[in-house]
Amino acid sequence: MSSITADSSSAAASRSALRGVLVAFASYAVFAFSDASIKILHGVIPSYQVAFIGALFGFAAVPFLKKREDEWLDMVRTSNRPLWLLRFVCGATGAICSVVAFTKLPMAEAFALLFLLPSFVTILSVIFLKEDVRWQRWTAVILGFVGVLIVLRPGFRELSIGHLCAAIGGLAAAISIVVNRALGSKEKRISLYGAGLFGTLIVSGLLMLSEVTMPTLTQWIFLASYGLLGACGSVLLLTAAQMAPANLVAPPQYSQMLWAIAFGYLLFNDSIDMPMAVGIVLIIFSGLLTLARERKRGTPLPAAVTGDTQAALATAEDHKAAGGA
């Protein structure tokens, strides 16, 4: 009888994990549509204004991220104010830089640079968390940066502010992840989300004082799409993390590259040449290798709890580790 019960529990867990993976794929697709909404605006709205409006719509996710025992003021409460403020700044930096990157670059190229995030996390974890990183993860880091050099080909093609912003956006997200790890389970999920959301809202709002563009009705639709789909993606990713282990939820993030290539080809007349394709493959392989090593070592993967649409790139961890029991 006990073996039948164990088999039944195992089958139920497998079904839940499968549903979690499918929800993860759906969440990353939603994030990709959100990012495409930025590019459709063609830069006619200032990047900080886009980020500000996106953050406003990002509040739509709060009721779904808030636990029953949480209070609304927990969005600004924290167990470590300096680290919370660092996430506050990184949330704003990542959101604005991501908007610039998707505005200035082909979507696939922007994602290629943003997918350096696992490499940045490895480096920062060694420096600030004193993690023991062995040769396999350093190999992944090197492969990632080689892939970026192949994509960018410095000296052979003109680089733009979009490339710089994509790299800074990935770095800002990586710093947020290291902050999450430093805080551990002490910090509430809603507090981490609030730091990124309020950071984007306040910093972008201050930058807007110099210039504000009144969007047309069509532009408002895409701005709403950017913000609401980003919020929806965060909720779906949280749901996936509750249904499946982190090591299954994390890898589907790279499906965003397929969406980026499809959007680029169908909507924006983007093209990918062979060197760029090789670089993209190396970057993705680097990220997957890093995730595999962190799974083996039992390193917790970070939760997607920032108001930035690139929350997806932070992956999702187990529900208990994400929000503090």
Side-chain angles (χ1 to χ4, degrees):
M1 177 67 80
S2 60
S3 62
I4 295 176
T5 303
D7 290 342
S8 176
S9 299
S10 177
S14 297
R15 288 193 296 271
S16 176
L18 176 59
R19 288 194 296 270
V21 170
L22 294 176
V23 172
F25 272 108
S27 70
Y28 293 122
V30 168
F31 279 120
F33 275 84
S34 172
D35 296 327
S37 300
I38 298 172
K39 193 162 185 63
I40 289 175
L41 292 171
H42 298 295
V44 295
I45 307 293
S47 58
Y48 40 80
Q49 186 175 343
V50 174
F52 177 84
I53 294 173
L56 284 178
F57 283 111
F59 279 99
V62 175
F64 301 94
L65 298 174
K66 180 177 177 290
K67 294 183 178 181
R68 186 171 300 176
E69 65 272 19
D70 291 340
E71 299 178 6
W72 291 105
L73 283 177
D74 286 336
M75 291 187 70
V76 294
R77 289 174 179 155
T78 177
S79 60
N80 189 314
R81 185 60 64 187
L83 288 182
W84 189 91
L85 289 173
L86 180 57
R87 187 177 172 87
F88 177 101
V89 172
C90 288
T93 303
I96 296 172
C97 285
S98 296
V99 171
V100 174
F102 283 110
T103 299
K104 301 291 185 182
L105 300 177
M107 286 192 69
E109 195 166 345
F111 271 121
L113 292 171
L114 288 164
F115 280 152
L116 270 179
L117 184 145
S119 296
F120 286 141
V121 170
T122 296
I123 295 170
L124 293 173
S125 295
V126 170
I127 296 173
F128 296 106
L129 302 182
K130 309 302 180 185
E131 285 189 6
D132 178 25
V133 175
R134 300 185 180 180
W135 68 268
Q136 295 96 331
R137 288 174 73 192
W138 284 123
T139 300
V141 170
I142 293 170
L143 284 176
F145 282 105
V146 169
V148 167
L149 289 175
I150 294 174
V151 169
L152 297 183
R153 281 162 281 171
F156 296 92
R157 55 183 299 221
E158 183 180 355
L159 302 183
S160 70
I161 186 66
H163 296 99
L164 177 62
C165 284
I168 292 175
L171 179 60
I175 294 173
S176 292
I177 289 171
V178 174
V179 168
N180 287 4
R181 290 181 175 178
L183 289 170
S185 60
K186 299 176 294 184
E187 198 75 359
K188 292 187 175 182
R189 181 174 60 235
I190 194 172
S191 174
L192 295 172
Y193 187 84
L197 200 63
F198 283 114
T200 303
L201 198 68
I202 293 173
V203 174
S204 298
L206 292 174
L207 291 173
M208 281 176 57
L209 297 177
S210 63
E211 179 187 5
V212 176
T213 299
M214 182 57 64
T216 64
L217 177 59
T218 301
Q219 290 166 350
W220 269 115
I221 292 173
F222 288 114
L223 288 168
S225 172
Y226 160 58
L228 291 176
L229 289 178
C232 179
S234 293
V235 174
L236 286 173
L237 197 55
L238 171 65
T239 303
Q242 293 171 339
M243 299 170 69
N247 60 287
L248 296 180
V249 173
Q253 67 182 289
Y254 291 98
S255 65
Q256 288 182 296
M257 184 60 74
L258 298 178
W259 287 107
I261 293 171
F263 286 139
Y265 179 77
L266 296 174
L267 300 178
F268 308 118
N269 296 318
D270 295 337
S271 60
I272 296 179
D273 56 21
M274 184 54 67
M276 185 178 295
V278 172
I280 287 172
V281 169
L282 278 176
I283 293 168
I284 291 176
F285 179 74
S286 163
L288 291 174
L289 181 59
T290 299
L291 292 175
R293 291 302 304 171
E294 294 200 343
R295 171 193 177 187
K296 187 172 182 179
R297 293 176 67 250
T299 302
L301 297 174
V305 287
T306 166
D308 178 15
T309 54
Q310 290 311 306
L313 297 176
T315 73
E317 67 177 334
D318 179 78
H319 175 50
K320 291 181 181 179

